């Protein structure tokens, strides 16, 4: 007499049965598993990005913040502040650092949370907070006065440094900046996602890096348009830019755009040093009439240059124009 063994259900059958009987719980478990897998992948990609792109400069600790910086050349100090989501390699790949280092002592920082600089969470890193931090860093370098250039979000930091510590800033060069509050849908999206404490960490370490990699080409078209992305920008490390930590810093700064502009707008009339404002006429990210043009009207003694056929990334596409603005400011403030 043969005894028939009862066949055990397959894993697929068991899984399907579980989904049928407990759809909500099964969906939650599957989602958690996918998020955990994404977090592991993103962590490994971030570690690889760090290994492939080691620091090229030096480090300094200011008030508990570890800042990465590059210093090159000699002469009058020139300080460069990069935009949101960027880092030192933006100015490096553009050629601006090497160009300026022929005549100036160029100091470029990775702002907190970007590149290889840390971004402690016990501080809300507004332009004012960053300006105070960089004032201390520059004092540590023995810099008493400097020409300061800021691009995009870095322009907000440059303005804050000039308004809070005017004795330190000889002249301002502001490129592609955002200066007055507007209804920014992109900032609101950032506030609703990666900038939210807790939930933002979940997004930053799971979904956001993967989405950012997919969206990278479209984002570059928006930043550089109407011009194409120059080949020299290949030197910019995308892998560092889409790390979870840097994406979270980018989201926080996007969320701060409107409130920071509201506060900064009250100080523009107090700026007495030479100010040069540059903006690409075809900037697809910022309305230059609403921002740079209005700032030019507010700061009566300022100069404004509209760069024709240029987008938001004029430091890359029109590097010579920025260098000319620096030289003009230097000549104007030569003692």
């Amino acid at each position: 007499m043969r005894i028939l063994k009862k066949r055990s259900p397959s894993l697929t059958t068991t899984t399907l049965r579980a989904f049928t009987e407990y759809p909500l719980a099964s969906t939650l478990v599957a989602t958690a598993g996918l998020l955990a897998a994404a977090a592991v992948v993103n962590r490994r990609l971030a570690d690889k990005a760090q290994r492939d792109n080691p620091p090229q400069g030096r480090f300094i600790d200011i008030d508990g913040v570890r800042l990465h910086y590059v210093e090159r050349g000699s002469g009058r100090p020139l300080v460069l502040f990069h935009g949101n989501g960027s880092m030192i390699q933006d100015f490096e790949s553009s050629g601006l650092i090497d160009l300026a280092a022929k005549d100036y002592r160029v100091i470029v920082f990775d702002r907190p949370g970007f590149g290889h600089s840390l971004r402690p969470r016990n501080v809300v890193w507004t332009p004012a907070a960053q300006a105070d931090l960089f004032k201390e860093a520059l004092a540590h370098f023995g810099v008493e006065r400097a020409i300061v250039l800021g691009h995009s979000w870095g322009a907000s930091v440059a303005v804050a440094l000039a308004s809070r510590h005017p004795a330190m800033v000889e002249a301002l060069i502001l490129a592609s900046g955002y200066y007055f509050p507007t209804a920014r849908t992109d900032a609101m999206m950032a506030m609703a996602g990666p900038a939210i404490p807790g939930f933002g960490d979940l997004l930053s370490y799971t979904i956001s890096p993967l989405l950012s990699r997919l969206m990278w080409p479209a984002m570059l078209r928006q930043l550089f348009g109407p011009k194409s992305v120059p080949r020299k920008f290949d030197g910019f490390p995308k892998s560092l830019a889409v790390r979870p930590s840097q994406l979270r810093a980018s989201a926080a700064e996007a969320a701060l755009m409107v409130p920071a502009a509201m506060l900064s707008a009250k100080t523009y009339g107090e700026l007495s040093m030479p100010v040069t404002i540059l903006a690409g006429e075809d900037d697809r990210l910022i309305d230059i009439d609403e921002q740079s043009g209005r700032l030019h009207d507010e700061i009566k003694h300022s100069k404004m240059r509209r760069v024709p056929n240029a987008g938001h990334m004029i430091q890359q596409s029109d590097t010579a124009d920025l260098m000319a603005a620096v030289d003009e400011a230097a000549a104007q403030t030569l003692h």
Side-chain angles (χ1 to χ4, degrees), residues 16 29-30 46 80 180 187 191 226 229 238 264 277 289-290 312 321:
L16 290 174
V29 170
L80 309 180
F180 299 96
M191 291 177 68
V229 180
K238 177 184 76 172
S264 296
I277 305 163
D289 292 319
E290 195 175 56
H312 191 70
D321 287 272

Side-chain angles (χ1 to χ4, degrees), residues 8 41 51 56 88 140 179 189 204 240 242 249 273 280 289 303 309:
S8 300
V41 170
R51 293 193 302 272
Q56 299 300 305
I88 288 172
H140 181 85
Y179 311 106
M189 288 173 64
S204 296
L240 284 181
V242 298
M273 69 285 296
D289 292 319
K303 299 178 181 178
N309 192 37

Side-chain angles (χ1 to χ4, degrees), residues 160-178:
L161 183 64
S163 63
R164 295 173 69 84
H165 310 286
M168 179 167 275
V169 179
E170 275 195 292
L172 275 178
I173 296 96
L174 307 174
S176 305
Y178 178 81

Side-chain angles (χ1 to χ4, degrees), residues 1-49:
M1 181 177 179
R2 292 177 62 190
I3 300 176
L4 298 176
K5 293 183 179 180
K6 188 175 180 181
R7 182 177 295 177
S8 300
S10 67
L11 178 61
T12 303
T13 303
T14 304
T15 303
L16 290 174
R17 184 180 298 167
F19 268 106
T20 302
E21 295 179 4
Y22 309 101
L24 179 59
S26 299
T27 301
L28 291 175
V29 170
T31 302
L34 289 173
L35 291 177
V40 171
V41 170
N42 289 325
R43 176 60 183 270
R44 290 180 178 176
L45 289 174
D47 290 343
K48 184 178 186 302

Side-chain angles (χ1 to χ4, degrees), residues 26 35 56 101 120 124 161 188 192-193 202 220 241 270 331:
S26 299
L35 291 177
Q56 299 300 305
V124 178
L161 183 64
M188 294 304 294
L202 178 63
L220 292 187
E270 302 170 4

Side-chain angles (χ1 to χ4, degrees), residues 127-129 131-132 135 148 155-169 172 174 260 263-273 275 299:
D132 291 346
K135 183 259 183 184
V148 178
S156 300
V157 178
V159 168
L161 183 64
S163 63
R164 295 173 69 84
H165 310 286
M168 179 167 275
V169 179
L172 275 178
L174 307 174
L263 293 175
S264 296
K266 302 174 183 178
T267 69
Y268 300 148
E270 302 170 4
L271 300 176
S272 58
M273 69 285 296
V275 178
I299 306 175

